[in-house]
Amino acid sequence: MKSILFFLTLWATCSPCFSQQAPTVGEPLTAIGRKNYVRALEILNDDLKSLAGNDAAFPEDELLLHRARVLFFTEDFTKAVEDCEDLLNRFPESVWRSKGKFMKAQSLAGSRKFEEALSIYQTSAADLFAEGRKDAIAGELMSFAEMFARSPDPGKLDEPAADYGKALALYQQVLQMESSDTVKEQAQFRMFQLFGILKQWPQVSSSALAYLSDFDPDWRGEFGSLERMTRQKNPGAKLPGAHRFHVRYLHGEALHRQNRRELSVKYLRELDDLIGADEGE
């Protein structure tokens, strides 16, 4: 009898079923919310099918997506891609397929496989268009543009060089979309900056004029133009651009670098007057 009691005590102490409660889906999701990705992976690296069986509200395909997100956040991009592919291959009717595609694209981009990532995104963008999320699409395209424009770390010789041409093409695509004026202002400003990085001063000047025409209420047109002589404000401004003073300044610099110094000084003096008036209000 004593032997039986001893055995039962030992079994209850050592058995996982008695010593700890099986983890629920809520625990890794809470850990993700708190950015405790190590704890989230400890649970999500177990058998997802069994974990899903503990909570019918969280099926296995959704858990695969959550694990891919955690792997993405911890920069384990290869495994994140594998989980996304597992989701797409094993669950063809999953409501999480669209998010799985975009997570795969983001993970490929994290590995600097930008062309593969962009290909996935562009072939799947129609899903977002159907949902009326045009600003979301534009935002994703701008994220890809930034990835193409980013120079690799000096110590990572295997990473591709920045592709400013591809970045500019993506920003141009955003400008042609039916996205909000706020999104277009950001895209137009980034194009303007990239032309500056490339030292393409005529393009800097022309993109500055386009930006100011669309997003500077105080823009009166170019010096010497009919607009400059006939108006005091810009009735065509879509909204006051957050970068309009910066654009005016770099426009003056671009003119200076094109040896158009007298005209550069005029624009910079006008900018100085605008800043003084703005500070005085």
Side-chain angles (χ1 to χ4, degrees):
M1 184 67 180
K2 290 182 179 180
S3 299
I4 295 174
L5 289 173
F6 175 77
F7 174 76
L8 290 174
T9 303
L10 182 64
W11 181 56
T13 303
C14 299
S15 172
C17 295
F18 284 85
S19 61
Q20 60 181 6
Q21 192 175 17
T24 63
V25 176
E27 189 174 347
L29 297 186
T30 300
I32 292 171
R34 294 174 178 172
K35 298 184 179 181
N36 186 354
Y37 302 130
V38 173
R39 177 55 184 157
L41 277 178
E42 285 178 356
I43 301 172
L44 292 174
N45 276 337
D46 287 338
D47 180 13
L48 291 184
K49 188 172 183 178
S50 298
L51 186 60
N54 295 336
D55 191 338
F58 294 95
E60 186 180 356
D61 54 344
E62 182 180 357
L63 295 181
L64 270 170
L65 179 63
H66 286 307
R67 188 168 69 186
R69 287 178 57 219
V70 176
L71 291 166
F72 173 82
F73 290 139
T74 56
E75 299 187 1
D76 194 342
F77 302 120
T78 300
K79 289 185 178 180
V81 169
E82 290 174 356
D83 271 354
C84 291
E85 290 177 343
D86 193 16
L87 165 60
L88 297 172
N89 292 333
R90 290 203 293 123
F91 300 96
E93 303 300 323
S94 173
V95 296
W96 303 102
R97 282 183 63 81
S98 179
K99 290 185 181 296
K101 289 179 183 179
F102 291 113
M103 178 52 63
K104 180 180 177 180
Q106 287 181 301
S107 300
L108 287 168
S111 302
R112 296 190 70 84
K113 297 178 180 178
F114 299 140
E115 294 288 354
E116 291 182 59
L118 184 59
S119 175
I120 292 172
Y121 181 78
Q122 290 181 321
T123 57
S124 304
D127 295 339
L128 283 179
F129 265 121
E131 297 172 17
R133 297 174 57 195
K134 295 178 182 178
D135 274 11
I137 300 172
E140 290 290 341
L141 285 177
M142 289 197 291
S143 295
F144 280 114
E146 286 303 305
M147 292 174 189
F148 280 109
R150 189 176 68 227
S151 297
D153 294 334
K156 297 181 178 179
L157 302 179
D158 59 332
E159 291 190 355
D163 188 339
Y164 295 116
K166 178 69 75 173
L168 286 166
L170 288 171
Y171 282 121
Q172 186 61 46
Q173 189 174 340
V174 170
L175 294 180
Q176 293 170 352
M177 293 172 56
E178 296 180 11
S179 52
S180 68
D181 290 333
T182 300
V183 168
K184 289 185 176 180
E185 187 268 344
Q186 295 170 358
Q188 210 160 325
F189 177 67
R190 278 301 287 149
M191 287 186 71
F192 168 80
Q193 285 186 310
L194 291 180
F195 284 131
I197 292 172
L198 293 169
K199 296 181 170 33
Q200 296 179 357
W201 305 118
Q203 285 84 353
V204 172
S205 294
S206 60
S207 61
L209 294 174
Y211 178 97
L212 295 171
S213 178
D214 286 341
F215 300 110
D216 189 341
D218 295 312
W219 177 245
R220 297 171 53 207
E222 297 180 66
F223 277 102
S225 68
L226 181 62
E227 292 174 309
R228 171 70 57 165
M229 292 185 288
T230 58
R231 75 185 188 192
Q232 296 298 315
K233 291 288 184 178
N234 179 9
K238 299 171 183 176
L239 55 84
H243 306 96
R244 60 190 186 278
F245 288 169
H246 191 181
V247 171
R248 280 179 178 259
Y249 175 79
L250 292 181
H251 175 226
E253 181 184 353
L255 291 171
H256 182 82
R257 290 177 180 271
Q258 296 173 76
N259 293 319
R260 301 170 69 186
R261 294 183 176 87
E262 185 176 344
L263 187 58
S264 170
V265 169
K266 286 183 179 180
Y267 283 116
L268 292 176
R269 283 178 175 167
E270 183 176 56
L271 171 60
D272 189 54
D273 292 340
L274 284 171
I275 293 174
D278 188 66
E279 291 176 347
E281 291 181 357

